[in-house]
Amino acid sequence: MIPALLSRFFWDVQAATLDLNRHAPYIIERLLECGDLDAVRWLLATYSPTDIVAVLHSARGLSARSRRYWSLYFDRPEVACTNPSWLPTPPVS
């Protein structure tokens, strides 16, 4: 489950219904884009760097600024997303 502390980042869905495995790409993308320090700490403790980098390279809702920052953080070449979108797609329960 998403900790109550982080539920504010999932304003468009009921955070209690998110499954950490099934909705991992959505959760990771949202926290990479909008998360604060506590959210990022939880993200890094919950998901592997491999999982996070995979989302980083496929996420449609990350801004160029976030994509650049996290690419540097994980020491990966920046990859422009081929499917641009302004908003991530919320998971369907």
Side-chain angles (χ1 to χ4, degrees):
M1 273 185 81
I2 300 289
L5 169 74
L6 304 181
S7 62
R8 65 190 169 112
F9 296 110
F10 301 96
W11 59 86
D12 54 342
V13 297
Q14 291 183 359
T17 64
L18 292 174
D19 180 274
L20 295 182
N21 294 321
R22 196 168 115 203
H23 302 122
Y26 173 73
I27 294 167
I28 293 169
E29 180 177 346
R30 178 62 60 93
L31 294 180
L32 288 177
E33 182 65 29
C34 302
D36 61 8
L37 186 56
D38 290 330
V40 170
R41 284 182 180 145
W42 179 85
L43 179 71
L44 295 173
T46 304
Y47 295 102
S48 73
T50 304
D51 292 336
I52 297 171
V53 168
V55 171
L56 175 64
H57 288 282
S58 65
R60 299 178 315 185
L62 284 177
S63 64
R65 176 184 241 176
S66 291
R67 190 177 306 281
R68 217 172 295 119
Y69 175 82
W70 291 111
S71 293
L72 288 170
Y73 179 89
F74 287 105
D75 195 25
R76 305 286 187 197
E78 184 179 348
V79 174
C81 185
T82 58
N83 298 318
S85 172
W86 289 104
L87 297 173
T89 306
V92 177
S93 297

